[in-house]
Amino acid sequence: MSEIRRSKAKPTHWSIPLTAPAFTPLQEQQERNELSHEDREYLRNELYGTEVPLNVSEDKEEELIRQFDECVKNLCNGSIEQTPRSEYCDTRAYLEALEVCPNIVNQETYPIMFLRATNYDVEAAASRLMAHWKVRKDIFGERAFLPITLDGAMKEDLDEVKRGFMTVLPEDEHGRPVVLLDRVGSTCSSTYQRASYLRTLWYMFHCVAVQPKYQKTGYVFLLNLIDWEPHKCNDRIGAKMCFVIIRECVPMKLKAYHATYGSKQTPVKIVEPHIRQMQGRDIRLHLVHHYGTHEDNLKSLEKFGLHKKDLPECVGGDFGLEEHMRWLEEQHEVEKLWSGRHSDMS
């Protein structure tokens, strides 16, 4: 059984050992300094929602899908020569899904999602598809082959889903979806279970990734670490898998990653270099830190098109459990309609 599904965490979770690999602030600065001027401008535009989206014609997309299908075929039969781009690029779960649930593969992981997520890099998109199914199987087990819906693969995780520590917030002012992870509320609990936590995060990403509009706009990720005490509630494996999901699996492009803290002297500083190492380059480059009081954080987030009325209560916003439950009810209705439509088609 996967290490992910086997765990049942206790109130004091796994700490990050000081000997764990680290990525220092100096290394992070050097990483940014090595970017070209064009890359810096592109990154800045992504963070602030002012980038010009890629304009790819339908004919070009159809041609890229054909190339993608050929690349996937080559990956699966072992004829592709170069090394896969991700260590999670394992074809076994994908091939199993094709056998067990081909309709789910076609409906939830269709090619254009992965092409748009990788700026139409065919090989990166094919690698991401394989990683998606490998990690999905690791996290969900046999439920990976059910629809990612509240009545399907998420049926046993409804308690975690309803807690509201992970949710889809209203769009930012640039029309991009915002996925929230309140690390404090979700992991600092005696009821915390890693597998359910990761499945719930996966579900939130899935809800937005299946929408064509968001495949084009990309998404914003908001991580709340205000009052987070890593020595009390730090699940190193769970944290690593969160970054793997974002970096390797989500069929949607990360545009901005905002992390909120209460103070620059927060205990998170102790483990931050180790967290940076787990994040990987793409997440680090899209990461913006926000420190201070709720008022300070709200003012800082507003510069990026994130407004108080649409932000969660944990950072001082107006979006609370009532709003989360309302979103969840609407999402459930959408899923039932979607399920009925595809049942009829089948």
mmCIF file of all heavy atoms in Angstrom, residues 95-142:
data_model
loop_
_atom_site.group_PDB
_atom_site.id
_atom_site.type_symbol
_atom_site.label_atom_id
_atom_site.label_comp_id
_atom_site.label_asym_id
_atom_site.label_seq_id
_atom_site.Cartn_x
_atom_site.Cartn_y
_atom_site.Cartn_z
ATOM 1 N N LEU A 95 -1.900 3.405 -18.223
ATOM 2 C CA LEU A 95 -2.312 2.235 -19.002
ATOM 3 C C LEU A 95 -3.398 1.444 -18.286
ATOM 4 O O LEU A 95 -4.334 0.942 -18.921
ATOM 5 C CB LEU A 95 -1.097 1.346 -19.276
ATOM 6 C CG LEU A 95 -0.061 1.938 -20.246
ATOM 7 C CD1 LEU A 95 1.187 1.066 -20.298
ATOM 8 C CD2 LEU A 95 -0.662 2.103 -21.639
ATOM 9 N N GLU A 96 -3.294 1.364 -16.963
ATOM 10 C CA GLU A 96 -4.335 0.687 -16.187
ATOM 11 C C GLU A 96 -5.662 1.440 -16.305
ATOM 12 O O GLU A 96 -6.730 0.819 -16.443
ATOM 13 C CB GLU A 96 -3.914 0.585 -14.725
ATOM 14 C CG GLU A 96 -4.878 -0.220 -13.872
ATOM 15 C CD GLU A 96 -4.428 -0.378 -12.433
ATOM 16 O OE1 GLU A 96 -3.346 0.140 -12.077
ATOM 17 O OE2 GLU A 96 -5.177 -1.008 -11.641
ATOM 18 N N ALA A 97 -5.588 2.767 -16.252
ATOM 19 C CA ALA A 97 -6.807 3.577 -16.375
ATOM 20 C C ALA A 97 -7.459 3.375 -17.744
ATOM 21 O O ALA A 97 -8.689 3.324 -17.852
ATOM 22 C CB ALA A 97 -6.471 5.049 -16.154
ATOM 23 N N LEU A 98 -6.646 3.263 -18.797
ATOM 24 C CA LEU A 98 -7.196 3.021 -20.134
ATOM 25 C C LEU A 98 -7.956 1.711 -20.188
ATOM 26 O O LEU A 98 -8.953 1.589 -20.910
ATOM 27 C CB LEU A 98 -6.064 3.009 -21.169
ATOM 28 C CG LEU A 98 -5.468 4.366 -21.562
ATOM 29 C CD1 LEU A 98 -4.331 4.158 -22.557
ATOM 30 C CD2 LEU A 98 -6.526 5.291 -22.165
ATOM 31 N N GLU A 99 -7.495 0.736 -19.415
ATOM 32 C CA GLU A 99 -8.170 -0.560 -19.377
ATOM 33 C C GLU A 99 -9.426 -0.519 -18.512
ATOM 34 O O GLU A 99 -10.468 -1.046 -18.875
ATOM 35 C CB GLU A 99 -7.207 -1.620 -18.818
ATOM 36 C CG GLU A 99 -6.094 -2.017 -19.760
ATOM 37 C CD GLU A 99 -6.584 -2.836 -20.940
ATOM 38 O OE1 GLU A 99 -7.560 -3.590 -20.775
ATOM 39 O OE2 GLU A 99 -5.997 -2.708 -22.032
ATOM 40 N N VAL A 100 -9.326 0.126 -17.354
ATOM 41 C CA VAL A 100 -10.395 0.082 -16.351
ATOM 42 C C VAL A 100 -11.469 1.129 -16.607
ATOM 43 O O VAL A 100 -12.667 0.859 -16.441
ATOM 44 C CB VAL A 100 -9.802 0.274 -14.927
ATOM 45 C CG1 VAL A 100 -10.913 0.332 -13.883
ATOM 46 C CG2 VAL A 100 -8.827 -0.845 -14.607
ATOM 47 N N CYS A 101 -11.064 2.335 -16.981
ATOM 48 C CA CYS A 101 -12.043 3.437 -17.094
ATOM 49 C C CYS A 101 -11.702 4.362 -18.262
ATOM 50 O O CYS A 101 -11.409 5.545 -18.063
ATOM 51 C CB CYS A 101 -12.096 4.229 -15.790
ATOM 52 S SG CYS A 101 -10.485 4.928 -15.305
ATOM 53 N N PRO A 102 -11.735 3.874 -19.485
ATOM 54 C CA PRO A 102 -11.378 4.716 -20.644
ATOM 55 C C PRO A 102 -12.220 5.972 -20.758
ATOM 56 O O PRO A 102 -11.722 7.022 -21.198
ATOM 57 C CB PRO A 102 -11.602 3.778 -21.835
ATOM 58 C CG PRO A 102 -12.523 2.701 -21.327
ATOM 59 C CD PRO A 102 -12.161 2.522 -19.890
ATOM 60 N N ASN A 103 -13.503 5.900 -20.356
ATOM 61 C CA ASN A 103 -14.341 7.096 -20.423
ATOM 62 C C ASN A 103 -13.857 8.185 -19.480
ATOM 63 O O ASN A 103 -13.876 9.378 -19.814
ATOM 64 C CB ASN A 103 -15.798 6.748 -20.088
ATOM 65 C CG ASN A 103 -16.475 5.977 -21.205
ATOM 66 O OD1 ASN A 103 -16.017 5.995 -22.346
ATOM 67 N ND2 ASN A 103 -17.557 5.289 -20.876
ATOM 68 N N ILE A 104 -13.405 7.790 -18.283
ATOM 69 C CA ILE A 104 -12.886 8.757 -17.317
ATOM 70 C C ILE A 104 -11.611 9.400 -17.849
ATOM 71 O O ILE A 104 -11.397 10.609 -17.715
ATOM 72 C CB ILE A 104 -12.616 8.094 -15.951
ATOM 73 C CG1 ILE A 104 -13.908 7.507 -15.378
ATOM 74 C CG2 ILE A 104 -12.002 9.095 -14.974
ATOM 75 C CD1 ILE A 104 -14.988 8.519 -15.096
ATOM 76 N N VAL A 105 -10.752 8.593 -18.472
ATOM 77 C CA VAL A 105 -9.523 9.125 -19.067
ATOM 78 C C VAL A 105 -9.872 10.203 -20.093
ATOM 79 O O VAL A 105 -9.289 11.288 -20.106
ATOM 80 C CB VAL A 105 -8.691 8.001 -19.728
ATOM 81 C CG1 VAL A 105 -7.492 8.584 -20.470
ATOM 82 C CG2 VAL A 105 -8.228 7.004 -18.682
ATOM 83 N N ASN A 106 -10.839 9.906 -20.955
ATOM 84 C CA ASN A 106 -11.221 10.847 -22.011
ATOM 85 C C ASN A 106 -11.928 12.084 -21.475
ATOM 86 O O ASN A 106 -11.762 13.184 -22.006
ATOM 87 C CB ASN A 106 -12.120 10.145 -23.031
ATOM 88 C CG ASN A 106 -11.382 9.079 -23.816
ATOM 89 O OD1 ASN A 106 -10.170 9.173 -24.015
ATOM 90 N ND2 ASN A 106 -12.091 8.045 -24.242
ATOM 91 N N GLN A 107 -12.720 11.902 -20.422
ATOM 92 C CA GLN A 107 -13.525 13.016 -19.909
ATOM 93 C C GLN A 107 -12.762 13.922 -18.949
ATOM 94 O O GLN A 107 -13.000 15.130 -18.905
ATOM 95 C CB GLN A 107 -14.769 12.466 -19.194
ATOM 96 C CG GLN A 107 -15.760 11.779 -20.125
ATOM 97 C CD GLN A 107 -16.724 10.876 -19.364
ATOM 98 O OE1 GLN A 107 -16.805 10.911 -18.135
ATOM 99 N NE2 GLN A 107 -17.469 10.058 -20.101
ATOM 100 N N GLU A 108 -11.835 13.363 -18.176
ATOM 101 C CA GLU A 108 -11.178 14.141 -17.128
ATOM 102 C C GLU A 108 -9.730 14.484 -17.424
ATOM 103 O O GLU A 108 -9.169 15.368 -16.764
ATOM 104 C CB GLU A 108 -11.257 13.387 -15.785
ATOM 105 C CG GLU A 108 -12.680 13.236 -15.274
ATOM 106 C CD GLU A 108 -12.745 12.682 -13.857
ATOM 107 O OE1 GLU A 108 -11.687 12.291 -13.311
ATOM 108 O OE2 GLU A 108 -13.858 12.649 -13.285
ATOM 109 N N THR A 109 -9.114 13.799 -18.384
ATOM 110 C CA THR A 109 -7.704 14.071 -18.684
ATOM 111 C C THR A 109 -7.475 14.112 -20.193
ATOM 112 O O THR A 109 -6.613 13.424 -20.722
ATOM 113 C CB THR A 109 -6.788 13.012 -18.032
ATOM 114 O OG1 THR A 109 -7.155 11.704 -18.493
ATOM 115 C CG2 THR A 109 -6.892 13.040 -16.519
ATOM 116 N N TYR A 110 -8.240 14.941 -20.874
ATOM 117 C CA TYR A 110 -8.106 15.000 -22.322
ATOM 118 C C TYR A 110 -6.886 15.843 -22.715
ATOM 119 O O TYR A 110 -6.421 16.712 -21.966
ATOM 120 C CB TYR A 110 -9.392 15.517 -22.972
ATOM 121 C CG TYR A 110 -10.024 16.729 -22.335
ATOM 122 C CD1 TYR A 110 -9.722 18.010 -22.785
ATOM 123 C CD2 TYR A 110 -10.939 16.602 -21.288
ATOM 124 C CE1 TYR A 110 -10.314 19.135 -22.209
ATOM 125 C CE2 TYR A 110 -11.519 17.710 -20.709
ATOM 126 C CZ TYR A 110 -11.204 18.976 -21.175
ATOM 127 O OH TYR A 110 -11.778 20.083 -20.593
ATOM 128 N N PRO A 111 -6.334 15.615 -23.905
ATOM 129 C CA PRO A 111 -5.031 16.165 -24.290
ATOM 130 C C PRO A 111 -4.873 17.676 -24.180
ATOM 131 O O PRO A 111 -3.849 18.164 -23.698
ATOM 132 C CB PRO A 111 -4.882 15.713 -25.746
ATOM 133 C CG PRO A 111 -5.686 14.466 -25.839
ATOM 134 C CD PRO A 111 -6.857 14.688 -24.927
ATOM 135 N N ILE A 112 -5.873 18.432 -24.601
ATOM 136 C CA ILE A 112 -5.686 19.884 -24.670
ATOM 137 C C ILE A 112 -5.454 20.496 -23.291
ATOM 138 O O ILE A 112 -4.777 21.527 -23.160
ATOM 139 C CB ILE A 112 -6.902 20.556 -25.377
ATOM 140 C CG1 ILE A 112 -6.531 21.963 -25.856
ATOM 141 C CG2 ILE A 112 -8.122 20.580 -24.485
ATOM 142 C CD1 ILE A 112 -5.437 22.003 -26.878
ATOM 143 N N MET A 113 -5.978 19.874 -22.239
ATOM 144 C CA MET A 113 -5.734 20.361 -20.878
ATOM 145 C C MET A 113 -4.242 20.408 -20.584
ATOM 146 O O MET A 113 -3.708 21.391 -20.058
ATOM 147 C CB MET A 113 -6.412 19.455 -19.840
ATOM 148 C CG MET A 113 -7.895 19.291 -19.985
ATOM 149 S SD MET A 113 -8.512 17.929 -18.940
ATOM 150 C CE MET A 113 -8.361 18.631 -17.307
ATOM 151 N N PHE A 114 -3.552 19.328 -20.926
ATOM 152 C CA PHE A 114 -2.140 19.195 -20.596
ATOM 153 C C PHE A 114 -1.273 20.027 -21.536
ATOM 154 O O PHE A 114 -0.216 20.525 -21.134
ATOM 155 C CB PHE A 114 -1.745 17.724 -20.620
ATOM 156 C CG PHE A 114 -2.398 16.939 -19.512
ATOM 157 C CD1 PHE A 114 -3.653 16.384 -19.681
ATOM 158 C CD2 PHE A 114 -1.782 16.802 -18.281
ATOM 159 C CE1 PHE A 114 -4.280 15.682 -18.653
ATOM 160 C CE2 PHE A 114 -2.397 16.114 -17.242
ATOM 161 C CZ PHE A 114 -3.643 15.555 -17.429
ATOM 162 N N LEU A 115 -1.716 20.183 -22.767
ATOM 163 C CA LEU A 115 -0.977 21.044 -23.699
ATOM 164 C C LEU A 115 -1.038 22.503 -23.245
ATOM 165 O O LEU A 115 -0.022 23.205 -23.227
ATOM 166 C CB LEU A 115 -1.551 20.891 -25.109
ATOM 167 C CG LEU A 115 -1.172 19.587 -25.822
ATOM 168 C CD1 LEU A 115 -2.074 19.350 -27.025
ATOM 169 C CD2 LEU A 115 0.294 19.615 -26.244
ATOM 170 N N ARG A 116 -2.211 22.956 -22.869
ATOM 171 C CA ARG A 116 -2.338 24.342 -22.408
ATOM 172 C C ARG A 116 -1.571 24.574 -21.113
ATOM 173 O O ARG A 116 -1.026 25.653 -20.882
ATOM 174 C CB ARG A 116 -3.823 24.688 -22.219
ATOM 175 C CG ARG A 116 -4.583 24.830 -23.524
ATOM 176 C CD ARG A 116 -6.095 24.875 -23.319
ATOM 177 N NE ARG A 116 -6.798 25.090 -24.574
ATOM 178 C CZ ARG A 116 -8.109 24.886 -24.743
ATOM 179 N NH1 ARG A 116 -8.846 24.443 -23.728
ATOM 180 N NH2 ARG A 116 -8.671 25.102 -25.913
ATOM 181 N N ALA A 117 -1.513 23.551 -20.268
ATOM 182 C CA ALA A 117 -0.810 23.681 -18.986
ATOM 183 C C ALA A 117 0.689 23.817 -19.163
ATOM 184 O O ALA A 117 1.383 24.307 -18.266
ATOM 185 C CB ALA A 117 -1.113 22.473 -18.105
ATOM 186 N N THR A 118 1.224 23.377 -20.303
ATOM 187 C CA THR A 118 2.664 23.391 -20.545
ATOM 188 C C THR A 118 3.050 24.324 -21.701
ATOM 189 O O THR A 118 4.107 24.162 -22.299
ATOM 190 C CB THR A 118 3.157 21.969 -20.868
ATOM 191 O OG1 THR A 118 2.397 21.452 -21.975
ATOM 192 C CG2 THR A 118 2.984 21.039 -19.673
ATOM 193 N N ASN A 119 2.168 25.303 -21.982
ATOM 194 C CA ASN A 119 2.420 26.227 -23.099
ATOM 195 C C ASN A 119 2.653 25.466 -24.406
ATOM 196 O O ASN A 119 3.514 25.835 -25.216
ATOM 197 C CB ASN A 119 3.597 27.156 -22.800
ATOM 198 C CG ASN A 119 3.228 28.251 -21.819
ATOM 199 O OD1 ASN A 119 2.054 28.563 -21.626
ATOM 200 N ND2 ASN A 119 4.228 28.828 -21.180
ATOM 201 N N TYR A 120 1.911 24.387 -24.582
ATOM 202 C CA TYR A 120 1.900 23.586 -25.805
ATOM 203 C C TYR A 120 3.225 22.879 -26.072
ATOM 204 O O TYR A 120 3.561 22.595 -27.227
ATOM 205 C CB TYR A 120 1.498 24.460 -27.000
ATOM 206 C CG TYR A 120 0.082 24.981 -26.886
ATOM 207 C CD1 TYR A 120 -0.170 26.238 -26.337
ATOM 208 C CD2 TYR A 120 -1.006 24.215 -27.295
ATOM 209 C CE1 TYR A 120 -1.466 26.717 -26.205
ATOM 210 C CE2 TYR A 120 -2.305 24.692 -27.169
ATOM 211 C CZ TYR A 120 -2.530 25.937 -26.614
ATOM 212 O OH TYR A 120 -3.815 26.405 -26.486
ATOM 213 N N ASP A 121 3.952 22.582 -25.026
ATOM 214 C CA ASP A 121 5.151 21.750 -25.128
ATOM 215 C C ASP A 121 4.682 20.292 -25.121
ATOM 216 O O ASP A 121 4.276 19.760 -24.091
ATOM 217 C CB ASP A 121 6.078 22.030 -23.939
ATOM 218 C CG ASP A 121 7.383 21.257 -24.009
ATOM 219 O OD1 ASP A 121 7.370 20.099 -24.459
ATOM 220 O OD2 ASP A 121 8.417 21.810 -23.588
ATOM 221 N N VAL A 122 4.731 19.652 -26.266
ATOM 222 C CA VAL A 122 4.132 18.331 -26.449
ATOM 223 C C VAL A 122 4.734 17.295 -25.505
ATOM 224 O O VAL A 122 4.009 16.535 -24.846
ATOM 225 C CB VAL A 122 4.275 17.877 -27.922
ATOM 226 C CG1 VAL A 122 3.853 16.416 -28.076
ATOM 227 C CG2 VAL A 122 3.423 18.771 -28.827
ATOM 228 N N GLU A 123 6.054 17.244 -25.420
ATOM 229 C CA GLU A 123 6.704 16.229 -24.588
ATOM 230 C C GLU A 123 6.451 16.474 -23.099
ATOM 231 O O GLU A 123 6.220 15.530 -22.332
ATOM 232 C CB GLU A 123 8.198 16.192 -24.892
ATOM 233 C CG GLU A 123 8.497 15.661 -26.293
ATOM 234 C CD GLU A 123 9.969 15.698 -26.618
ATOM 235 O OE1 GLU A 123 10.763 16.133 -25.742
ATOM 236 O OE2 GLU A 123 10.330 15.300 -27.739
ATOM 237 N N ALA A 124 6.474 17.748 -22.695
ATOM 238 C CA ALA A 124 6.189 18.077 -21.297
ATOM 239 C C ALA A 124 4.742 17.732 -20.959
ATOM 240 O O ALA A 124 4.439 17.260 -19.854
ATOM 241 C CB ALA A 124 6.460 19.554 -21.038
ATOM 242 N N ALA A 125 3.832 17.953 -21.907
ATOM 243 C CA ALA A 125 2.414 17.660 -21.687
ATOM 244 C C ALA A 125 2.191 16.156 -21.535
ATOM 245 O O ALA A 125 1.440 15.710 -20.659
ATOM 246 C CB ALA A 125 1.579 18.208 -22.840
ATOM 247 N N ALA A 126 2.851 15.362 -22.370
ATOM 248 C CA ALA A 126 2.708 13.909 -22.289
ATOM 249 C C ALA A 126 3.277 13.383 -20.971
ATOM 250 O O ALA A 126 2.677 12.516 -20.317
ATOM 251 C CB ALA A 126 3.419 13.253 -23.474
ATOM 252 N N SER A 127 4.410 13.927 -20.556
ATOM 253 C CA SER A 127 5.006 13.542 -19.276
ATOM 254 C C SER A 127 4.087 13.905 -18.123
ATOM 255 O O SER A 127 3.923 13.140 -17.165
ATOM 256 C CB SER A 127 6.357 14.246 -19.109
ATOM 257 O OG SER A 127 6.924 13.972 -17.849
ATOM 258 N N ARG A 128 3.437 15.058 -18.227
ATOM 259 C CA ARG A 128 2.527 15.515 -17.168
ATOM 260 C C ARG A 128 1.301 14.610 -17.068
ATOM 261 O O ARG A 128 0.804 14.337 -15.972
ATOM 262 C CB ARG A 128 2.114 16.961 -17.434
ATOM 263 C CG ARG A 128 1.531 17.692 -16.229
ATOM 264 C CD ARG A 128 1.305 19.166 -16.562
ATOM 265 N NE ARG A 128 0.981 19.929 -15.370
ATOM 266 C CZ ARG A 128 1.866 20.466 -14.536
ATOM 267 N NH1 ARG A 128 3.158 20.299 -14.760
ATOM 268 N NH2 ARG A 128 1.490 21.153 -13.469
ATOM 269 N N LEU A 129 0.810 14.140 -18.190
ATOM 270 C CA LEU A 129 -0.326 13.215 -18.178
ATOM 271 C C LEU A 129 0.032 11.933 -17.431
ATOM 272 O O LEU A 129 -0.766 11.427 -16.621
ATOM 273 C CB LEU A 129 -0.754 12.893 -19.612
ATOM 274 C CG LEU A 129 -1.827 11.807 -19.768
ATOM 275 C CD1 LEU A 129 -3.145 12.234 -19.136
ATOM 276 C CD2 LEU A 129 -2.029 11.458 -21.247
ATOM 277 N N MET A 130 1.212 11.402 -17.696
ATOM 278 C CA MET A 130 1.638 10.177 -17.008
ATOM 279 C C MET A 130 1.791 10.421 -15.508
ATOM 280 O O MET A 130 1.368 9.605 -14.681
ATOM 281 C CB MET A 130 2.978 9.681 -17.580
ATOM 282 C CG MET A 130 2.932 9.332 -19.050
ATOM 283 S SD MET A 130 1.667 8.104 -19.438
ATOM 284 C CE MET A 130 1.063 8.746 -20.992
ATOM 285 N N ALA A 131 2.404 11.555 -15.150
ATOM 286 C CA ALA A 131 2.582 11.891 -13.736
ATOM 287 C C ALA A 131 1.227 12.076 -13.056
ATOM 288 O O ALA A 131 1.041 11.678 -11.897
ATOM 289 C CB ALA A 131 3.419 13.164 -13.602
ATOM 290 N N HIS A 132 0.290 12.688 -13.772
ATOM 291 C CA HIS A 132 -1.051 12.914 -13.238
ATOM 292 C C HIS A 132 -1.678 11.590 -12.795
ATOM 293 O O HIS A 132 -2.182 11.477 -11.673
ATOM 294 C CB HIS A 132 -1.919 13.579 -14.312
ATOM 295 C CG HIS A 132 -3.342 13.789 -13.912
ATOM 296 N ND1 HIS A 132 -3.809 14.990 -13.434
ATOM 297 C CD2 HIS A 132 -4.412 12.945 -13.917
ATOM 298 C CE1 HIS A 132 -5.098 14.881 -13.151
ATOM 299 N NE2 HIS A 132 -5.494 13.652 -13.445
ATOM 300 N N TRP A 133 -1.632 10.587 -13.667
ATOM 301 C CA TRP A 133 -2.276 9.320 -13.341
ATOM 302 C C TRP A 133 -1.479 8.530 -12.305
ATOM 303 O O TRP A 133 -2.058 7.837 -11.463
ATOM 304 C CB TRP A 133 -2.508 8.500 -14.602
ATOM 305 C CG TRP A 133 -3.775 8.899 -15.280
ATOM 306 C CD1 TRP A 133 -3.918 9.693 -16.381
ATOM 307 C CD2 TRP A 133 -5.103 8.577 -14.838
ATOM 308 N NE1 TRP A 133 -5.251 9.882 -16.666
ATOM 309 C CE2 TRP A 133 -5.997 9.204 -15.742
ATOM 310 C CE3 TRP A 133 -5.622 7.830 -13.790
ATOM 311 C CZ2 TRP A 133 -7.383 9.093 -15.616
ATOM 312 C CZ3 TRP A 133 -7.003 7.716 -13.657
ATOM 313 C CH2 TRP A 133 -7.868 8.343 -14.569
ATOM 314 N N LYS A 134 -0.157 8.641 -12.328
ATOM 315 C CA LYS A 134 0.647 7.940 -11.325
ATOM 316 C C LYS A 134 0.331 8.449 -9.922
ATOM 317 O O LYS A 134 0.071 7.672 -8.990
ATOM 318 C CB LYS A 134 2.139 8.127 -11.622
ATOM 319 C CG LYS A 134 3.056 7.283 -10.731
ATOM 320 C CD LYS A 134 4.054 8.170 -10.010
ATOM 321 C CE LYS A 134 5.047 7.374 -9.189
ATOM 322 N NZ LYS A 134 4.438 6.629 -8.079
ATOM 323 N N VAL A 135 0.333 9.784 -9.756
ATOM 324 C CA VAL A 135 0.082 10.367 -8.436
ATOM 325 C C VAL A 135 -1.390 10.200 -8.055
ATOM 326 O O VAL A 135 -1.707 9.960 -6.886
ATOM 327 C CB VAL A 135 0.503 11.849 -8.417
ATOM 328 C CG1 VAL A 135 0.169 12.491 -7.070
ATOM 329 C CG2 VAL A 135 2.004 11.971 -8.683
ATOM 330 N N ARG A 136 -2.276 10.310 -9.008
ATOM 331 C CA ARG A 136 -3.702 10.078 -8.742
ATOM 332 C C ARG A 136 -3.906 8.676 -8.176
ATOM 333 O O ARG A 136 -4.647 8.486 -7.194
ATOM 334 C CB ARG A 136 -4.487 10.264 -10.047
ATOM 335 C CG ARG A 136 -5.989 9.992 -9.936
ATOM 336 C CD ARG A 136 -6.692 10.532 -11.174
ATOM 337 N NE ARG A 136 -8.067 10.070 -11.298
ATOM 338 C CZ ARG A 136 -9.002 10.628 -12.078
ATOM 339 N NH1 ARG A 136 -8.689 11.690 -12.799
ATOM 340 N NH2 ARG A 136 -10.226 10.152 -12.144
ATOM 341 N N LYS A 137 -3.250 7.679 -8.757
ATOM 342 C CA LYS A 137 -3.357 6.302 -8.248
ATOM 343 C C LYS A 137 -2.723 6.186 -6.858
ATOM 344 O O LYS A 137 -3.253 5.516 -5.967
ATOM 345 C CB LYS A 137 -2.678 5.342 -9.227
ATOM 346 C CG LYS A 137 -2.662 3.872 -8.779
ATOM 347 C CD LYS A 137 -4.030 3.242 -8.848
ATOM 348 C CE LYS A 137 -4.019 1.780 -8.378
ATOM 349 N NZ LYS A 137 -3.179 0.901 -9.205
ATOM 350 N N ASP A 138 -1.586 6.855 -6.651
ATOM 351 C CA ASP A 138 -0.935 6.825 -5.337
ATOM 352 C C ASP A 138 -1.846 7.387 -4.249
ATOM 353 O O ASP A 138 -1.902 6.858 -3.134
ATOM 354 C CB ASP A 138 0.362 7.646 -5.362
ATOM 355 C CG ASP A 138 1.477 6.948 -6.118
ATOM 356 O OD1 ASP A 138 1.353 5.737 -6.381
ATOM 357 O OD2 ASP A 138 2.472 7.622 -6.456
ATOM 358 N N ILE A 139 -2.548 8.464 -4.566
ATOM 359 C CA ILE A 139 -3.357 9.162 -3.571
ATOM 360 C C ILE A 139 -4.726 8.505 -3.369
ATOM 361 O O ILE A 139 -5.196 8.351 -2.235
ATOM 362 C CB ILE A 139 -3.551 10.641 -3.974
ATOM 363 C CG1 ILE A 139 -2.210 11.382 -3.910
ATOM 364 C CG2 ILE A 139 -4.574 11.331 -3.083
ATOM 365 C CD1 ILE A 139 -2.266 12.792 -4.461
ATOM 366 N N PHE A 140 -5.356 8.097 -4.452
ATOM 367 C CA PHE A 140 -6.727 7.579 -4.381
ATOM 368 C C PHE A 140 -6.816 6.061 -4.322
ATOM 369 O O PHE A 140 -7.875 5.523 -4.002
ATOM 370 C CB PHE A 140 -7.536 8.068 -5.588
ATOM 371 C CG PHE A 140 -7.961 9.504 -5.522
ATOM 372 C CD1 PHE A 140 -7.145 10.512 -6.015
ATOM 373 C CD2 PHE A 140 -9.184 9.873 -4.972
ATOM 374 C CE1 PHE A 140 -7.526 11.838 -5.957
ATOM 375 C CE2 PHE A 140 -9.589 11.198 -4.915
ATOM 376 C CZ PHE A 140 -8.748 12.185 -5.418
ATOM 377 N N GLY A 141 -5.742 5.367 -4.651
ATOM 378 C CA GLY A 141 -5.838 3.919 -4.726
ATOM 379 C C GLY A 141 -6.783 3.509 -5.852
ATOM 380 O O GLY A 141 -6.794 4.130 -6.915
ATOM 381 N N GLU A 142 -7.599 2.513 -5.638
ATOM 382 C CA GLU A 142 -8.525 2.047 -6.674
ATOM 383 C C GLU A 142 -9.601 3.076 -6.988
ATOM 384 O O GLU A 142 -10.224 3.034 -8.051
ATOM 385 C CB GLU A 142 -9.164 0.719 -6.249
ATOM 386 C CG GLU A 142 -8.180 -0.436 -6.162
ATOM 387 C CD GLU A 142 -7.372 -0.611 -7.441
ATOM 388 O OE1 GLU A 142 -7.993 -0.639 -8.531
ATOM 389 O OE2 GLU A 142 -6.140 -0.706 -7.355
#
